[in-house]
Amino acid sequence: MLTEEIIQKKKSKENITFWIILFVGLVIGLLAYPGYQRGGRLSKRGIRSEATVESVRVEEKRTTRNGRSSTSKTHYSMLKYRDAAGLDQKGEISYNGEVGERVKILYLPEEVNKPVLDSFFAIWAPFIFPLGFSSIIVIIALWIRSFNAKRTAELYELLRNGLTKKIRVVGIKESRTGKKNRRTVYSLIGEDEDGNKYTSEIGSIPREDAVGEEVIIKVHYSNSSIYYFPYDGYF
């Protein structure tokens, strides 16, 4: 039976989930700050030069997931160039270049051997990527909070004005979801005396004798698609 205590417990769990997701997003956002600082320094104090690709190496990383292995490759180019004092310098960057290729670079006076390509993307990527990823996570967290708030409001509306109905569990539905349909989801299917059906997704295999049991549900007085079908004790 739907009670205010059930709604409050549900709300508390959803709030914890929201704050965890938001915290993760904000922490990732903080990782963008060093990239912002370095990008600013390169833009203001970076020294431009032209470098020659002296050698190229490939770093392979093999990973195994779900019994399948894959290999990712990262290319690094060793650059040779002269600094502002006319001294020969070398530095490696993540770049798939060709030996003998000429590229424009930028470096800080205190980090002569840490060049970057002289392009907006290369300068600001350490800032843009974590900030973008952080923004996506925060947006998802806010969307989840908005969705949960709407559902909580519906539950309170059901609690105050919902119609109480007795239904009978008439079946159990098993479906596959997730990547490659590896996750099994079970749903109880209930039916009232007028033949209207209601579905409640549950987290594990239901009892075999769940079919035939009676359940008290709450249905919105004007929209039968909004209802609360409790399933505690039915799995």
Coordinates of all heavy atoms in Angstrom, one line a residue, residues 163 165-170 188-199 217 219-220 223-225 227 229:
L163 N -7.3 6.5 -6.7 CA -8.3 5.5 -6.5 C -7.7 4.2 -6.1 O -6.7 3.7 -6.6 CB -9.1 5.3 -7.8 CG -9.8 6.5 -8.4 CD1 -10.4 6.1 -9.8 CD2 -10.8 7.1 -7.5
K165 N -7.5 0.3 -5.9 CA -8.0 -0.8 -6.6 C -7.3 -2.1 -6.1 O -6.2 -2.1 -5.8 CB -7.7 -0.7 -8.1 CG -8.7 0.3 -8.8 CD -8.5 0.2 -10.3 CE -9.5 1.0 -11.1 NZ -9.4 0.8 -12.5
K166 N -8.1 -3.2 -6.2 CA -7.5 -4.5 -6.0 C -7.4 -5.2 -7.3 O -8.3 -5.3 -8.1 CB -8.5 -5.3 -5.1 CG -7.9 -6.7 -4.7 CD -8.9 -7.5 -3.9 CE -9.0 -6.9 -2.5 NZ -9.9 -7.8 -1.6
I167 N -6.1 -5.6 -7.5 CA -5.8 -6.4 -8.8 C -5.3 -7.7 -8.4 O -4.8 -8.0 -7.3 CB -4.8 -5.6 -9.7 CG1 -3.5 -5.5 -9.0 CG2 -5.4 -4.2 -10.0 CD1 -2.4 -4.9 -9.9
R168 N -5.2 -8.6 -9.4 CA -4.7 -9.9 -9.3 C -3.5 -10.1 -10.2 O -3.5 -9.7 -11.4 CB -5.7 -11.0 -9.6 CG -5.3 -12.4 -9.3 CD -6.4 -13.4 -9.6 NE -7.6 -13.1 -8.8 CZ -7.8 -13.6 -7.5 NH1 -6.8 -14.3 -7.0 NH2 -8.9 -13.3 -6.9
V169 N -2.4 -10.6 -9.7 CA -1.2 -10.9 -10.5 C -1.6 -12.0 -11.4 O -1.9 -13.2 -11.0 CB 0.0 -11.3 -9.6 CG1 1.2 -11.6 -10.5 CG2 0.4 -10.1 -8.7
V170 N -1.5 -11.8 -12.8 CA -1.9 -12.8 -13.7 C -0.8 -13.3 -14.5 O -0.9 -14.2 -15.3 CB -3.0 -12.2 -14.7 CG1 -4.2 -11.8 -14.0 CG2 -2.4 -10.9 -15.4
L188 N 6.0 -8.0 -13.0 CA 4.7 -8.6 -12.6 C 3.6 -7.9 -13.4 O 3.6 -6.7 -13.6 CB 4.4 -8.4 -11.1 CG 5.4 -9.2 -10.2 CD1 4.9 -8.9 -8.7 CD2 5.4 -10.7 -10.4
I189 N 2.7 -8.7 -13.9 CA 1.5 -8.2 -14.7 C 0.3 -8.4 -13.9 O 0.0 -9.5 -13.5 CB 1.4 -8.8 -16.1 CG1 2.7 -8.6 -16.9 CG2 0.2 -8.3 -16.8 CD1 2.7 -9.4 -18.2
G190 N -0.4 -7.3 -13.5 CA -1.7 -7.4 -12.8 C -2.9 -7.0 -13.6 O -2.7 -6.2 -14.6
E191 N -4.0 -7.4 -13.2 CA -5.2 -7.1 -13.9 C -6.4 -6.9 -13.0 O -6.5 -7.6 -12.0 CB -5.6 -8.3 -14.9 CG -6.8 -8.0 -15.8 CD -7.0 -9.2 -16.8 OE1 -6.2 -9.4 -17.7 OE2 -8.0 -9.9 -16.6
D192 N -7.2 -5.8 -13.2 CA -8.3 -5.5 -12.3 C -9.5 -6.2 -12.9 O -9.5 -6.9 -13.9 CB -8.5 -4.0 -12.2 CG -8.9 -3.3 -13.5 OD1 -9.2 -4.0 -14.4 OD2 -8.7 -2.1 -13.5
E193 N -10.7 -6.0 -12.2 CA -11.9 -6.7 -12.6 C -12.4 -6.2 -13.9 O -13.3 -6.9 -14.6 CB -12.9 -6.6 -11.5 CG -13.3 -5.1 -11.2 CD -14.2 -5.0 -10.1 OE1 -14.5 -6.0 -9.4 OE2 -14.7 -3.9 -9.8
D194 N -12.0 -5.1 -14.4 CA -12.5 -4.5 -15.7 C -11.6 -5.0 -16.8 O -11.8 -4.5 -18.0 CB -12.5 -3.0 -15.6 CG -13.6 -2.5 -14.6 OD1 -14.6 -3.2 -14.5 OD2 -13.3 -1.5 -13.9
G195 N -10.5 -5.7 -16.5 CA -9.6 -6.2 -17.6 C -8.4 -5.2 -17.8 O -7.6 -5.5 -18.7
N196 N -8.3 -4.1 -17.1 CA -7.2 -3.2 -17.2 C -5.9 -3.9 -16.7 O -6.0 -4.4 -15.6 CB -7.5 -1.9 -16.5 CG -8.7 -1.2 -17.1 OD1 -8.8 -1.1 -18.3 ND2 -9.6 -0.8 -16.2
K197 N -4.8 -3.7 -17.4 CA -3.6 -4.4 -17.0 C -2.6 -3.3 -16.4 O -2.5 -2.2 -16.9 CB -2.9 -5.1 -18.1 CG -3.7 -6.4 -18.5 CD -2.9 -7.2 -19.5 CE -3.4 -8.7 -19.6 NZ -4.8 -8.7 -19.9
Y198 N -1.8 -3.8 -15.4 CA -0.8 -2.9 -14.8 C 0.5 -3.7 -14.7 O 0.4 -4.9 -14.4 CB -1.3 -2.4 -13.4 CG -2.6 -1.8 -13.4 CD1 -3.8 -2.5 -13.3 CD2 -2.7 -0.4 -13.6 CE1 -5.0 -1.9 -13.4 CE2 -4.0 0.2 -13.7 CZ -5.1 -0.5 -13.5 OH -6.3 0.1 -13.6
T199 N 1.6 -3.0 -14.9 CA 2.9 -3.7 -14.9 C 3.8 -3.1 -13.8 O 3.9 -1.9 -13.6 CB 3.6 -3.6 -16.3 OG1 2.7 -4.1 -17.2 CG2 4.9 -4.4 -16.3
I217 N -3.4 -1.5 -5.3 CA -2.7 -0.4 -6.0 C -3.5 0.9 -5.9 O -4.6 0.9 -5.5 CB -2.4 -0.8 -7.5 CG1 -3.8 -0.8 -8.3 CG2 -1.8 -2.2 -7.6 CD1 -3.6 -0.9 -9.8
V219 N -4.4 4.2 -8.3 CA -4.5 4.6 -9.7 C -5.0 6.1 -9.8 O -5.9 6.4 -9.0 CB -5.5 3.7 -10.5 CG1 -5.5 4.2 -12.0 CG2 -5.1 2.3 -10.4
H220 N -4.4 6.9 -10.6 CA -4.8 8.3 -10.8 C -6.3 8.3 -11.2 O -6.7 7.6 -12.0 CB -3.9 9.0 -11.8 CG -4.0 10.5 -11.8 ND1 -5.0 11.2 -12.4 CD2 -3.2 11.4 -11.2 CE1 -4.8 12.5 -12.2 NE2 -3.8 12.6 -11.5
N223 N -6.2 9.7 -15.0 CA -5.2 9.1 -15.9 C -4.8 7.8 -15.5 O -3.9 7.7 -14.6 CB -4.0 10.1 -16.1 CG -3.1 9.7 -17.1 OD1 -3.2 8.6 -17.7 ND2 -2.1 10.5 -17.4
S224 N -5.3 6.7 -16.0 CA -5.1 5.4 -15.5 C -3.6 4.9 -15.9 O -3.2 3.9 -15.4 CB -6.1 4.4 -16.2 OG -6.0 4.4 -17.6
S225 N -2.9 5.7 -16.7 CA -1.5 5.3 -17.0 C -0.6 5.7 -15.8 O 0.6 5.3 -15.8 CB -1.0 6.0 -18.3 OG -1.0 7.4 -18.1
Y227 N 0.0 5.2 -12.0 CA -0.4 4.3 -10.9 C 0.8 3.9 -10.1 O 1.9 4.0 -10.5 CB -1.2 3.1 -11.5 CG -0.4 2.2 -12.4 CD1 0.5 1.2 -12.0 CD2 -0.5 2.4 -13.8 CE1 1.2 0.4 -12.9 CE2 0.2 1.7 -14.7 CZ 1.1 0.7 -14.2 OH 1.8 -0.1 -15.1
F229 N 2.1 0.5 -8.3 CA 1.9 -1.0 -8.2 C 3.0 -1.5 -7.2 O 4.1 -1.7 -7.7 CB 2.0 -1.6 -9.6 CG 1.8 -3.1 -9.6 CD1 1.6 -3.7 -10.9 CD2 1.8 -3.9 -8.5 CE1 1.4 -5.1 -11.0 CE2 1.6 -5.3 -8.6 CZ 1.4 -5.9 -9.8

